Amino acid sequence: MAKEMLKGNNAIAEAAVRAGLEAYFGYPITPQTELLEYLSKRLVELNRVFLQAESEVAAINMVYGAACAGARVMTSSSSPGISLMQEGLSYIAGSELPVVIVDIMRGGPGLGNILPSQGDYFQVTRSAGHGDFHPIVLAPSSVQEAIDFTILAFELAEKYRHMVLLAADGQIGQMMEPAELPPMRPLMEKRPDWALTGAGDRPPNIISSIFLVAEEMENYNKMIQNKLKVIRANEQRWDEIYTEDIDLLVVGYGTAGRIALTAVEEAREEGMKVGLLRPQTLYPFPDDRISELADYVDSVLVVEMNAGQMLDDVRLAVGGQVPVSFFGRMGGVVPMPDEIYNAIKEAYTKTTAHKAA
Amino acid sequence: MIESFLFSGFGGQGVMFAGQLLAYAGMDTGLETTWIPSYGPEMRGGTAHCFVVLSDKPIGSPLVRNPKTALVFNNPSFEKYDPLIKTGGLLIVNSSMIVQSSNRTDITTLNIPATSLADELGSLRVANLIMLGAMLAANHIIRPEDLKQALADHIPAHHTDMLGMNYAAVDLGMEHAVQVLAR
Amino acid sequence: MESTTSIIPPEGMQLVYERPKALVDVHTHYCPGCTHGVAHRLLAEAIDELGVREKTILVAPVGCSVFAYAYFNTDGCEAAHGRAPAMATGIKRIDPSRVVVTYQGDGDLAAIGTAEIIHAAARGECITTLFINNAIYGMTGGQMAPTTLLGQKTKSSPMGRDAKIAGLPIRMSEVLATLPGSAYIVRRSLHDVNNIRKAKKAIVTALKAQINGLGFSMVELLSSCPTNWGIPADKALEWVEENMVPYYPLGDYKVIEAVKSL
Ligand SMILES: Cc1ncc(C[n+]2csc(CCOP(=O)(O)OP(=O)(O)O)c2C)c(N)n1
Ligand code: SF4
């Protein structure tokens, strides 16, 4: 199929439709609303399920219900709406259901603003509401990746029977870029065995997140932890460029990652030995590769649109082998390439001075 | 090669569409392309802008602090972006709407009375295409025929009857700019 | 926001119409022809008339009126989307001598905040709510609201609201009137001068009900959103009268005896 100029939000919506999305429940919130608006037309035309819920609380619980019924289902929102969904997310986590959630992040905390931000990194990677759980988190940095990761999100959700979050920011949601959509996939043909379809002549299927006996709750947790171990071993994804023979490694994802690329290229033109690693999965975090690179770079610079959240994960991966510094803008301010360039230059100068000494 | 463009004006002056058109033409001629708008309630009645980047390499940042080319449609846009244009860059001013003119000597400025010209052509709505046409006379990254093709491909269905006038607007903008440049 | 100059009457002339003391002298961010401005003025006039500006606390919603607190010369705060009645409850319980007002749109009050408004009314919480029903989500750019009329086209009901998909529009005044804790629940409209006058009277009564500790009070105001309805301001007022009033009849849905004798 040929490339078209596509807006991030619309591209994600259409990609979901083509991935065989059967039902969508959501609530308007900027900068995500085009996604809901697009599906209000597209899904209705296709005779699939679209419903504007009365709130994000309702939307996520509708998703919970549809997932119990075995549907390929999705919701989308932006930061404050994702906060409101936390309870539902925890129940879904406690019920081992495959769902896809799109978060088009905006400035916070509080009502904040509608501008691009990466302030939800902790909110999306550390848990899903209360309890021990991590969703798989995909972080696109372009409209094409937003499309590809939407498809991947449904695949991973169903492969692992696990929650998958697509975490993009307002810039990716709002920008247009040439991108290619995949062909239309058919809807799921058969409901999964565990789905609630009416017992018929099989034993009843029950989906519940309550385990009153501590050991049973622990066993469920162990099962989830084992699954997460497999996910960590198999699903770390990242993109890297110019990472051979460098002194400074820049790490950034999503919008911050692609802006950092411009800055890295400028720095390389100035003769600095700098490269970029762009995590594509925030959970599982690409620890293995970062830890490997930390063996031979002299320092690492983390770039984010927040106060330094992924920074923790990078530090854990680097394990104290080399210094890790940080550059971030907050509150909806998108860094310009020259700011990141300056941060690179500073980190680089420090590193090389240190090396010389 | 990397070219950055800013379009800025009041909501309703067609700045978003003009930017998209350039982006479409860029994509159709095989360039990497990004288009990013300002968005949200601050646009209500106020100034809206978009950035377009065209490049032969993958584009990192779709936002630019110092655009090479700026097309400004109203006074607030002129005031904000005139100082920001990159040295050696190009500023296209809709002089029907903007009374000031640039004092910068390190950029090329084209004052185009786009709104009056559009009025003469028969519709105020094509001022954006006159500005775009003027830009093509000074920045040759996109050929006029490619822009016109993009227009034909992407004009909203309910405006297809305006296509002829839109072509004329692009041509008029170019002609006018050529005259201004010759002076 | 720039300041506008206040009016100084020419010599020998009397000033008969003034900016209410409870309204700050600034330009609002509302679109031309939006009735949020009218509703603001009425609330401010009512506050002035009752002399309660100094002890009024305004809880602003999430919606186009998100900055309402900036336009009133009173203390104010900003609730999470839909939660104004709960936040107002917290404020009122700490100091019942204060006059606590929530100002909420239809998405805020009748969608995401349904639980909060119902329970504030059920508890007979002594707060006053101004409910701006414009049948759409204004702030987010024109999606369907719970009060959107059947067949009405919005950004998220592009083929027109279909009862099979989105159900039927909610009449909130009627719903809240059924709750034992509500003292004064009325619906008015802002589409013409006559109705605007009636709306003002109702707001005064609602505040009085609160001040006298009689229970929960709400004035629903049928309002316009020319921007997201995509019609000119004057036509939008006609649209309120022709389309909204028939589905949302104006009138008093609950006036308890104690309020009648105020
Ligand atoms: C939790 C959460 N969800 C969604 C939003 C986005 N949002 C802001 S205002 C609004 C609806 C506003 O509509 P309404 O209450 O009818 O007021 P109006 O703008 O029409 O005055 C929504 C959905 C938000 N701010 N917070
Ligand atoms: S969008 Fe509608 S409700 Fe909001 S300020 Fe404009 S006219 Fe008023």
Side-chain angles (χ1 to χ4, degrees):
Chain A
M1 246 171 244
K3 283 194 172 180
E4 309 162 54
M5 280 296 277
L6 292 170
K7 185 172 196 165
N9 282 334
N10 294 354
I12 294 171
E14 180 59 28
V17 167
R18 297 192 183 198
L21 178 72
E22 188 178 340
Y24 172 92
F25 305 92
Y27 188 75
I29 184 166
T30 317
Q32 158 277 156
T33 307
E34 294 87 356
L35 220 160
L36 169 138
E37 290 173 352
Y38 185 94
L39 292 174
S40 75
K41 187 151 190 276
R42 186 79 164 112
L43 286 181
V44 172
E45 279 169 359
L46 289 170
N47 230 342
R48 302 186 194 174
V49 179
F50 168 86
L51 182 57
Q52 182 180 319
E54 68 271 28
S55 68
E56 291 85 353
V57 177
I60 193 66
N61 285 288
M62 290 170 184
V63 166
Y64 189 15
C68 285
R72 193 168 284 153
V73 58
M74 173 174 109
T75 186
S76 60
S77 190
S78 175
S79 313
I82 299 289
S83 301
L84 207 46
M85 288 183 185
Q86 293 297 318
E87 178 195 52
L89 296 183
S90 188
Y91 277 66
I92 292 169
S95 309
E96 240 204 322
L97 291 169
V99 304
V100 172
I101 292 143
V102 179
D103 180 7
I104 307 293
M105 298 182 274
R106 64 185 232 181
L111 190 52
N113 59 35
I114 57 175
L115 299 166
S117 159
Q118 297 180 329
D120 289 9
Y121 185 92
F122 283 154
Q123 167 160 270
V124 297
T125 59
R126 287 311 187 256
S127 69
H130 63 282
D132 273 302
F133 185 84
H134 300 276
I136 295 172
V137 184
L138 305 173
S141 77
S142 65
V143 174
Q144 186 64 57
E145 261 186 3
I147 292 170
D148 299 345
F149 289 1
T150 301
I151 306 287
L152 178 65
F154 286 101
E155 289 170 358
L156 292 175
E158 282 160 33
K159 176 171 176 193
Y160 293 104
R161 234 181 114 177
H162 203 80
M163 180 190 303
V164 181
L165 250 131
L166 187 73
D169 58 69
Q171 176 164 312
I172 294 163
Q174 296 293 327
M175 73 188 286
M176 287 176 95
E177 269 185 314
E180 197 172 334
L181 285 157
M184 191 76 140
R185 290 189 192 176
L187 289 174
M188 206 191 277
E189 259 173 32
K190 188 179 152 292
R191 302 277 177 225
D193 295 341
W194 46 261
L196 309 185
T197 54
D201 42 19
R202 61 161 165 71
N205 280 343
I206 305 291
I207 297 175
S208 155
S209 66
I210 185 170
F211 297 91
L212 287 181
V213 178
E215 286 75 12
E216 282 177 20
M217 186 80 253
E218 189 180 44
N219 283 338
Y220 180 84
N221 270 293
K222 279 184 182 156
M223 185 271 294
I224 293 291
Q225 292 307 316
N226 285 334
K227 192 195 286 187
L228 289 174
K229 207 182 276 173
V230 177
I231 290 172
R232 282 198 300 272
N234 295 334
E235 306 298 346
Q236 295 183 23
R237 286 176 165 78
W238 69 91
D239 182 32
E240 58 181 73
I241 180 159
Y242 314 125
T243 47
E244 259 164 58
D245 186 28
I246 50 169
D247 294 333
L248 174 70
L249 175 70
V250 179
V251 185
Y253 58 96
T255 289
R258 69 181 284 165
I259 299 174
L261 175 61
T262 302
V264 163
E265 282 176 342
E266 274 169 36
R268 291 182 66 85
E269 274 166 32
E270 304 287 314
M272 294 181 234
K273 292 161 110 184
V274 192
L276 176 73
L277 184 140
R278 188 169 59 76
Q280 294 168 316
T281 48
L282 303 182
Y283 192 94
F285 193 68
D287 306 287
D288 299 347
R289 181 59 184 150
I290 291 179
S291 159
E292 235 169 65
L293 287 170
D295 285 343
Y296 70 85
V297 301
D298 299 312
S299 88
V300 177
L301 170 69
V302 176
V303 180
E304 293 182 83
M305 280 147 45
N306 58 37
Q309 300 189 17
M310 177 183 71
L311 176 61
D312 285 11
D313 285 332
V314 174
R315 281 196 179 125
L316 285 169
V318 169
Q321 295 182 77
V322 293
V324 179
S325 56
F326 176 72
F327 176 80
R329 296 296 307 259
M330 292 169 282
V333 180
V334 178
M336 287 287 176
D338 56 343
E339 295 171 72
I340 302 182
Y341 171 84
N342 290 338
I344 290 175
K345 196 167 177 186
E346 192 183 323
Y348 191 80
T349 315
K350 242 189 237 165
T351 309
T352 41
H354 193 256
K355 225 165 114 179
Chain B
M1 180 281 289
I2 181 155
E3 289 283 332
S4 49
F5 304 84
L6 165 97
F7 296 75
S8 185
F10 288 124
Q13 285 184 309
V15 294
M16 297 297 188
F17 183 67
Q20 281 182 6
L21 210 55
L22 179 66
Y24 283 127
M27 176 182 76
D28 294 341
T29 45
L31 293 170
E32 299 283 346
T33 309
T34 59
W35 173 91
I36 186 161
S38 55
Y39 60 90
E42 82 273 12
M43 288 162 53
R44 210 162 280 159
T47 290
H49 68 258
C50 64
F51 284 102
V52 175
V53 178
L54 304 179
S55 176
D56 52 5
K57 284 196 307 185
I59 299 164
S61 176
L63 292 172
V64 260
R65 190 191 300 282
N66 305 111
K68 274 196 189 161
T69 300
L71 292 82
V72 292
F73 290 69
N74 65 3
N75 273 314
S77 304
F78 174 86
E79 281 159 22
K80 182 160 178 202
Y81 292 106
D82 171 51
L84 291 181
I85 296 164
K86 216 179 190 138
T87 296
L90 173 65
L91 172 65
I92 320 249
V93 177
N94 179 353
S95 56
S96 322
M97 304 292 288
I98 299 169
V99 285
Q100 297 127 295
S101 53
S102 180
N103 292 327
R104 287 185 59 176
T105 50
D106 60 334
I107 59 171
T108 308
T109 306
L110 287 178
N111 291 317
I112 307 289
T115 308
S116 333
L117 289 174
D119 201 15
E120 282 165 31
L121 256 188
S123 167
L124 290 176
R125 309 183 60 142
V126 298
N128 58 347
L129 297 174
I130 292 178
M131 292 281 281
L132 205 49
M135 197 267 287
L136 296 187
N139 178 328
H140 305 291
I141 184 159
I142 297 293
R143 297 181 310 172
E145 51 271 36
D146 292 327
L147 188 84
K148 286 184 182 164
Q149 188 57 47
L151 249 171
D153 293 344
H154 300 288
I155 193 165
H158 54 283
H159 284 321
T160 38
D161 55 323
M162 296 263 295
L163 198 56
M165 192 192 285
N166 284 340
Y167 288 165
V170 173
D171 290 338
L172 185 61
M174 283 193 71
E175 283 160 24
H176 202 90
V178 168
Q179 285 170 22
V180 176
L181 285 167
R183 264 182 239 147
Chain C
M1 270 163 273
E2 65 202 74
S3 169
T4 54
T5 44
S6 40
I7 304 153
I8 301 160
E11 215 167 309
M13 283 196 183
Q14 226 188 338
L15 195 62
V16 291
Y17 193 71
E18 225 180 339
R19 178 176 289 275
K21 302 260 173 318
L23 219 48
V24 179
D25 192 4
V26 291
H27 285 304
T28 70
H29 69 288
Y30 299 115
C31 306
C34 173
T35 47
H36 268 304
V38 179
H40 279 27
R41 176 164 182 115
L42 297 185
L43 175 58
E45 284 180 2
I47 291 172
D48 277 10
E49 205 169 302
L50 297 171
V52 293
R53 187 190 69 77
E54 293 78 4
K55 58 174 183 176
T56 296
I57 299 168
L58 180 79
V59 185
V62 178
C64 278
S65 45
V66 67
F67 293 127
Y69 54 76
Y71 304 139
F72 287 89
N73 202 355
T74 65
D75 277 3
C77 59
E78 168 71 57
H81 193 20
R83 316 297 173 217
M87 206 173 173
T89 298
I91 295 170
K92 188 76 181 185
R93 293 291 174 117
I94 294 306
D95 187 350
S97 74
R98 302 297 94 180
V99 176
V100 184
V101 179
T102 78
Y103 184 106
Q104 302 178 255
D106 42 54
D108 197 75
L109 181 141
I112 195 166
T114 320
E116 283 75 10
I117 196 72
I118 291 221
H119 287 280
R123 286 190 306 267
E125 210 62 61
C126 285
I127 60 171
T128 301
T129 294
L130 245 63
F131 171 32
I132 307 299
N133 179 356
N134 60 10
I136 204 144
Y137 284 17
M139 172 83 156
T140 42
Q143 298 77 29
M144 190 191 72
T147 48
T148 292
L149 297 174
L150 275 190
Q152 188 182 335
K153 282 190 182 154
T154 71
K155 289 255 190 71
S156 60
S157 57
M159 286 85 97
R161 182 175 183 157
D162 176 353
K164 284 201 293 296
I165 296 174
L168 296 163
I170 303 184
R171 297 185 178 100
M172 282 311 281
S173 286
E174 286 84 331
V175 170
L176 296 176
T178 64
L179 298 169
S182 55
Y184 182 70
I185 309 282
V186 301
R187 182 182 290 122
R188 299 289 184 265
S189 175
L190 300 178
H191 72 267
D192 62 22
V193 176
N194 199 11
N195 280 287
I196 290 173
R197 288 219 178 93
K198 289 183 188 158
K200 155 81 177 298
K201 259 198 184 152
I203 297 170
V204 172
T205 309
L207 291 176
K208 277 190 189 161
Q210 170 178 180
I211 294 163
N212 288 281
L214 300 178
F216 176 76
S217 54
M218 180 177 93
V219 180
E220 173 175 347
L221 298 170
L222 301 186
S223 303
S224 69
C225 176
T227 300
N228 286 304
W229 294 353
I231 38 185
D234 52 341
K235 294 275 176 305
L237 294 177
E238 285 168 21
W239 198 88
V240 171
E241 186 177 13
E242 283 160 21
N243 297 284
M244 291 184 72
V245 175
Y247 189 86
Y248 298 111
L250 305 181
D252 296 358
Y253 288 91
K254 181 146 179 203
V255 186
I256 61 170
E257 284 307 317
V259 172
K260 279 186 195 146
S261 54
L262 276 176

